[in-house]
Every structure is written in structure tokens, then in C-alpha cells.
Amino acid sequence: MTGIFRLAPATALAAALALGGCASLSPDGGMSVVGDVTKRTINKEATAVRAAEDGDRVRAASRRLLARPLNADAAVQLALLNNKGLQAAYDELALSEADLVQDSLPPNPTFSLSHISGDGAFEAERQVAGDILALATLPARSEIARDRFHQAQLKAALATLRLATDVRRAYVRTVAASELVALLTEAQSAAEATAQLARKLGETGALNRLDQAREQVFYAETTAELASARQAAASARERLTRLMGLWGDDLAFRLPERLPELPRQPLTEPLVEADAVGHRIDLQIARIELAALAKSLSLTEATRFVNLLDLAGIDRTTRDPDGRKFSERGVDVQFQIPIFDGGEVRMRQAVESYNLAFNRLTEKAVNIRSEARDAYRSYRSTYDIARHYQREVLPLRQIISDEMQLRYSSMQVDVFALLVEARQRIASRRAAIDAMSNFFLAQAELSAAINGGSSGASENTPQLTASARDPSSD
């Protein structure tokens, strides 16, 4: 046998009984690691709602957050408090802790009693049997169970980070969609006024049918785009509502009218790959999986030839028909003889499971480095684009608008030139909204790439339609 069985039987029994005596359920159901990871990574509170007082505390905290317009951080905290899917993940963690305690307990002994009598004679037999192999391997199996439980804790933490990332994405899209609705509402009003003016000028013969049709189709297209934008905004808000776990009166939560300002300076992450490898929760889970499989492989190798070893103590009392009574005591040992199954299949399964986990861990480490580099490049490029719109494009558009107003006041340009410029300004503002949305989505993706929490494929592609249509093409 391998090192698992190097202890003397009495020492192994004492260690197993000590492990069994120490196994107990924790008051928080294993939430300590989840809370620490959540606090350290996103500075939020993760709470498992398991009692009435927990529910009261969650409702009070939710009311405080909903009393004012929600920013992204408040939306994330609301989701961590109210999302029932996340609470289900915490319940699974509590179940994993129960499995840990179960696997850390020594096997229960089996007691049997038989009594046979007839013709004045009887035989009574009592047995106490136990699984000696399970008792001897209990320390190793308990250590593997602890690794599995730590893995379950990190999985619950990963579910928390993924929810936080999804909420940030949904928040950005909801606010950006509402901002786009406001912009298109303004554009529709201007287009409606232009269409009415074109129709009146057409009635007087001052405007031909082609120019009338151009103004009217712009109004019609803007109206259709506004309807689509309102639907997209409503759907985005509903998704955010689902992620935050709100219902009833809480559905009237308020959001700001526009996305926040860009940071003054972008993040500089020269060691983004190292940070991702050191912090990614899913990579830590894969490492624990590999370590647990290595221990399981060692245990399988140790029990390759003997996987059944039962020991029973026997106490038998017999009385003959003539009244003589005598007692017998002894032991009964049961074990399998590895004639047909020498453990090759179990060994191959254990070895290949280990190799599978090793290759997946290596693949994940390679992918995480690439994801971190890509996420930072996207973050930096979207920041530069959004900053370019804020510093260059929109101020220049404002200058053009002011100059066109002056020329219109001095009758150097007509109203239609002024309206063409207004369309171009709206298109630039629309593209600026999309640029801001792309940046905050990339910011959320960068955090997920470094700490964990990405749902899989990158979701940097905005849901908003930002094609700045050239009015001169109408």
C-alpha cells in the first residue's frame, strides 16, 4: 500500500475519530470566503438570506438604496441582496458544506442480532461490523472533501462576481438606451417641425416635391427609430430589473438621465496578465480541482487491489436440548479477491481525469492571459474614442451650431441649411452616446477579465444603433 496506510491501525483509528469529532456545520453555511472575495474584489456585501432577520435586513437596505436614483454600484448591491438565483447558489454552497461534514464522519458500525430456537435448543448471535477500509482512508477522503468545499466556496464567489458584471452591463445599456430615447425625441420634434414647414412651402410652390419628400421621410424614419429605441429601452430596463430581483412597488426605481462622466485618466495596467492569473476566481477553482484529483488519484492507487475490507466482532451463545449452554466469540473479515478486477479500470479513469483537469487548467491559463490583454486594449481604445467625442467632436459641433444660428439670424443661410446642421449634430451626439456606452461596457469586461465574472463571450458590442447617417444622402 502507499503512504495512506503507513499509520498503525490504532493511530489511523484515532485520527479518523478525531476528524469525525471536529466535523460540524458552520453558522454561515460557508459564506465567509464568498464575503471576503466579494468585499476585496468589488467592495460589495454578499449576504445569504436564510432567516427572517436576514430578510428584514435585506429589505431595509434595499429601501435605502431605492430612495435615490441608482448608480451602477447601487444597482450591483441591490442585485446581490435580492437576486434569487444568487441565493440559490448560496444554498448550493450550504449543501456542499453538508457534504463536507458527511464525508468527514467515520462510517457508522452495523449491529445485527439473530436468534434461532427449536426442540429445546437455541442459538443467539450478535455482530458488530464496521468498514475498516473506509475508516482507514477517512483522513485522505476528508482532505479531498475540504478541497471540494473550498472549490464550492469559490464557485459561489464566482457566481457573485458574474452577477455583478451582468448588472453593470445591463445598467450601462439601460441608461444609454434612455439617453438615446431622449435624443431621438428631440430629433423627432425637430423633424416634425421641418416636415410641416416643408409641406406649407410646397403648398405655396416655394419648395419642390423632391425636397418635400426628403423632409417628410426624415420625420417618418425618425419616428420609427424612436419607437424602436423606446422598445429597446423598456427591454433593457426589464433585464436590469430581473437581475436586481425587484418586483412590486420597487419596479418604479429611478435611474439618471445620462451615463456618468468619463474618468479623468484611464487605468494603466502594465501587468494586466499577471493580475489576471493571480486573481481570476475560475483559475483558482481549476487549480483546486487539479489538486483534489491528484489526491484522489493517490487514494485510488492505494486502494487499487482492495476496495472492500469489513471487520465484524461475533458473540454467539448456544444451548443444547439437554440444557448445556456455552458461548463463542470471534471475528469475521470480508475482503474482495482481485481475480477479475485488479483496479486497472479505476486507475485509468483516475489518471485520465487528472490529465483532463491538467490540460484544461493549462488552456484556461493561456486563455486568461489573452482575455486580459484583449480586455485592456478594448478598454483603452474605447476610452480614447469616447474622450475624442467629448473633447473634439461635440465641441466642434457646438461651434458649428452657434455659427449657423448667427448666419441664420443675419439671413445668410436659410432654415433648411440650419435643419441639416441640426441633423448632423444629432448624429454626432448619438455616436457619442454609443462611444460612452462602449467604454463603460469595456470597463466592466476588464474587471471581469482580471477578477473573474465574465459570462463567457465578450459582450462589448453595444445594443444601440449608432450609425451616424449622412443627411446629405437623403
Side-chain angles (χ1 to χ4, degrees), residues 187-404:
Q188 186 201 35
S189 299
E192 182 180 15
T194 304
Q196 292 176 353
L197 177 61
R199 185 173 60 255
K200 291 180 180 178
L201 291 176
E203 292 173 354
T204 62
L207 193 68
N208 59 47
R209 293 185 62 187
L210 176 60
D211 291 334
Q212 292 182 58
R214 284 174 174 168
E215 302 305 326
Q216 290 170 356
V217 75
F218 177 70
Y219 170 61
E221 290 175 348
T222 304
T223 301
E225 290 180 12
L226 176 58
S228 297
R230 284 173 173 164
Q231 176 57 45
S235 296
R237 184 181 176 94
E238 287 297 339
R239 171 165 174 75
L240 179 61
T241 301
R242 291 194 298 271
L243 291 172
M244 292 191 298
L246 302 181
W247 62 287
D249 295 337
D250 295 338
L251 295 179
F253 64 88
R254 294 173 294 162
L255 295 174
E257 295 181 354
R258 61 184 67 250
L259 292 169
E261 296 295 328
L262 286 173
R264 291 182 178 271
Q265 296 292 333
L267 296 176
T268 56
E269 291 288 345
L271 302 176
V272 63
E273 293 183 51
D275 290 341
V277 171
H279 293 90
R280 281 284 288 260
I281 303 298
D282 49 352
L283 189 61
Q284 296 179 42
I285 293 172
R287 290 189 185 119
I288 294 175
E289 175 70 16
L290 187 65
L293 286 174
K295 295 172 183 176
S296 179
L297 176 60
S298 178
L299 182 61
T300 301
E301 185 179 3
T303 60
R304 175 177 180 177
F305 298 105
V306 178
N307 56 21
L308 173 63
L309 179 58
D310 291 342
L311 177 65
I314 302 174
D315 182 10
R316 180 181 299 157
T317 302
T318 305
R319 189 180 69 186
D320 291 339
D322 57 7
R324 287 186 305 170
K325 184 178 179 180
F326 57 93
S327 299
E328 297 174 302
R329 292 182 177 85
V331 295
D332 177 54
V333 179
Q334 295 184 25
F335 60 91
Q336 287 183 343
I337 301 175
I339 297 176
F340 304 107
D341 182 6
E344 291 87 356
V345 174
R346 292 190 297 118
M347 276 300 301
R348 174 60 66 87
Q349 290 172 337
V351 169
E352 293 306 327
S353 295
Y354 178 84
N355 292 337
L356 174 65
F358 176 80
N359 287 321
R360 284 182 172 171
L361 174 61
T362 305
E363 179 193 29
K364 185 175 288 292
V366 172
N367 291 344
I368 281 174
R369 289 181 171 88
S370 175
E371 290 169 7
R373 294 192 302 268
D374 185 49
Y376 183 74
R377 282 195 294 266
S378 297
Y379 166 84
R380 188 54 197 265
S381 63
T382 53
Y383 178 88
D384 293 340
I385 294 170
R387 176 63 72 186
H388 178 72
Y389 271 97
Q390 298 297 320
R391 289 185 173 181
E392 301 292 337
V393 177
L394 293 184
L396 288 174
R397 279 294 176 193
Q398 188 60 46
I399 292 173
I400 294 172
S401 178
D402 294 341
E403 291 296 322
M404 290 295 291

Side-chain angles (χ1 to χ4, degrees), residues 40-52:
R40 182 180 67 252
T41 304
I42 58 176
N43 195 27
K44 294 291 177 291
E45 178 186 358
T47 302
V49 182
R50 296 195 175 104

